[in-house]
Amino acid sequence: MINQDFIDKALAAHRAVWSEYDGLRYVRFVDDFQGICRGTVVFGDQVVYGYPSIGRVLALNSGLRGQFHAPFWMEEKVDGFNVRLIKLNHRLLALTRGGFICPFTTDRIVDLLNPHVFEHEPDIVLCGEVVGPDNPYMEGSVPYIKQDVELFVFDIGAINQKRFMGYADKESLIERYQLPSVQRFGRFQINDLPKIGEILLQLNIEYREGVIFKEDSPRDHRAKYTTSNINIVDIEAGAYTMFDLPPEYFKNRIARLVLFMDEQGLSSTVELQQQLGEAYVRGLLEAIQQVHEHHKVFRTFRCRFRQRENAVKLLKHLSEIGGHVQITLRELKEQDGYWLLEFDKVFPKSSGTLSSLLKGSLLFD
Amino acid sequence: MINQDFIDKALAAHRAVWSEYDGLRYVRFVDDFQGICRGTVVFGDQVVYGYPSIGRVLALNSGLRGQFHAPFWMEEKVDGFNVRLIKLNHRLLALTRGGFICPFTTDRIVDLLNPHVFEHEPDIVLCGEVVGPDNPYMEGSVPYIKQDVELFVFDIGAINQKRFMGYADKESLIERYQLPSVQRFGRFQINDLPKIGEILLQLNIEYREGVIFKEDSPRDHRAKYTTSNINIVDIEAGAYTMFDLPPEYFKNRIARLVLFMDEQGLSSTVELQQQLGEAYVRGLLEAIQQVHEHHKVFRTFRCRFRQRENAVKLLKHLSEIGGHVQITLRELKEQDGYWLLEFDKVFPKSSGTLSSLLKGSLLFD
């Protein structure tokens, strides 16, 4: 239970910190701490629990057999950024995975769903993925969203409740309030593996990231499994900012890709191998081109706001959380009733390493 | 100058350690220390200086322009393991890059070259690469060596001398004693770039690793440059033991590959992209296959010895230097006048990670 004593301990251990957004002070868990997961936030006596990590299986058959002891639901895993939407003292707020209040999503909540759900269910916590080409965090989108962003709800919880509501209750709320939801494929058993494989192959063809399995049992055990093509997309994006990425980035994706190919019978597909090689080459060549032209490696992002001040807040937020990545404003202007923000993320290690290599400097490896 | 005082300081700083081989005690520099490079060894009052690191250029044109202020020699860079051969108190010894006495190469020196060179030049230090399919250190060979190992000399120094002898003197010794040498392409200037590029493209086609440039000037400045195909070979080998490799392994090779392709006009070659993708997929699929069949990822090595005891010494040496890699004997038997040793290197992280993934365990990433 999270009481004042527990919060004080977490603060003292630097697992939680005080944060502030627009006059609202709150405690944010920056790390897992004694069963409370990273991203948990505390507003006075109201706790919004962090969204728990979901483990990944790389081998589907043995993974399902090993992980699930009861039938399970299968839903699409959408490749965007994770948010928790709440209403707190008459304000709609969007929390990121890390427990920050997101200036962008908070500004746009009323475009993402009909907020009347919060009038009827004031304690609700809507967990979902925000995805689309015009978002401030992630390169790319899903193929079925061509502009701006959309929300896809996948779990519903409540303030001061650690667990999500049951699957049937979730579905009935989604139905009742017409909440935008991730695609739900239904309830399966281990024996349905051929059917599951078919769905996955179709998702793979459509470049959709993968699925989440949720056991239909009190323990609500979960696992994720991703398709192969998305790894190729990730590798191309990663090759572009190669020197700024964590070392395991490529290894993990190669492992996921090859295990998917192996299990789904795609391993001898020459076309796939060519796409993989092309992803590396294209991504890095594009970065080289950028360094030739602009002397740096950067990506341009854009997103729309209802209120100008939230765009300014977002830039400040990104600069604070971005670590070594630099944020530079390109433009902030009114357009079609919104404030259109354009900014660059500059990747200093990729910029520096490639500039230096292209200048012919010596590398000792 | 390396005197007793300096050695004591290096030992005290743990940059040098006492080592022992077959009753011979010596000091080995395990790290660079005050201008003395790693791999330097001291036998009493005789110092064999370590082979210095050679920096790599990834961009040829700007690299040559930036690095060289005088004409330079170009030699083949052979992809084997670096040795220094010496005669010490009537014993022929082979030192590895790290300054160990190599039980394998030492045993086989008389097969690698005609040792009479050491009678006429007793202080000589022959620096070269040992390469071939039957070596205990490295997967693979160069395409022109199909069995056992061969030596290719590329520098000649002397005991107690830090610098190598001049290029003309080296060539005349190679000539006089018919020493096996790396291919020497001659003396070039920056303006010869088209000619150099032609040679590199030919080396690339032949899957030969690359070249070393050595400035024809008192400072003897050097740089290396490698071809693209060798990176694909490395990536396939690396994908096989992916989880046991340092994080930068793939990044570095992708960067070298793409920069070579870009500069040599190969970047749009679909075949090359397919080979790159195939390298990853084949390497990792092979490892998966091994885990299915043998529950571990391993490579089998073999090499020949004149004396049985040196094979035993090599196994002990490999176990000591191998870090987390495990060495297991398969066979040691007489064959055609040699002792044929076969052993496995077992890669525990690749074995463990792949076993666990294939069993369907959850991965939190």
Side-chain angles (χ1 to χ4, degrees), chain A residues 53-59 62-64 66-67 221-224 239 242-248 250-252 254-259 261-262 267 270 272-274 276-278 280-282 284-285 288 292 354 357-365, chain B residues 53-59 62-64 66-67 221-224 239 242-248 250-252 254-259 261-262 267 270 272-274 276-278 280-282 284-285 288 292 354 357-365:
Chain A
S53 297
I54 296 179
R56 181 190 294 275
V57 292
L58 274 76
S62 59
L64 290 178
Q67 296 302 322
H221 185 56
R222 291 152 178 230
K224 61 186 169 197
M242 198 163 81
F243 300 99
D244 288 85
L245 289 173
E248 304 307 317
F250 294 103
K251 272 189 199 176
N252 286 345
I254 292 285
R256 292 176 206 160
L257 172 74
V258 173
L259 280 155
M261 288 168 74
D262 187 34
S267 60
V270 170
L272 223 156
Q273 295 171 357
Q274 193 234 309
L276 171 59
E278 195 185 356
Y280 274 110
V281 175
R282 273 174 52 167
L284 189 50
L285 278 181
I288 290 170
H292 280 313
L354 285 177
L357 293 179
L358 291 170
K359 274 181 203 143
S361 60
L362 285 188
L363 194 70
F364 288 87
D365 50 21
Chain B
S53 297
I54 296 179
R56 181 190 295 275
V57 292
L58 274 77
S62 59
L64 290 178
Q67 296 303 322
H221 185 55
R222 291 153 178 228
K224 61 187 170 195
M242 197 164 80
F243 300 99
D244 288 86
L245 288 174
E248 304 307 318
F250 294 103
K251 272 189 199 176
N252 286 345
I254 291 285
R256 292 176 205 159
L257 172 74
V258 173
L259 280 155
M261 288 168 74
D262 187 34
S267 60
V270 170
L272 222 157
Q273 295 171 357
Q274 193 233 308
L276 171 59
E278 195 185 357
Y280 275 109
V281 174
R282 273 174 51 166
L284 190 50
L285 277 181
I288 290 170
H292 280 312
L354 285 177
L357 293 178
L358 291 170
K359 273 181 203 142
S361 59
L362 285 189
L363 194 71
F364 288 86
D365 49 22

Side-chain angles (χ1 to χ4, degrees), chain A residues 118-144:
Chain A
F118 290 104
E119 288 159 31
H120 300 276
E121 310 279 348
D123 285 342
I124 212 170
V125 177
L126 293 178
C127 304
E129 203 84 352
V130 175
V131 62
D134 302 330
N135 85 79
Y137 298 115
M138 297 197 32
E139 167 73 0
S141 175
V142 292
Y144 46 88

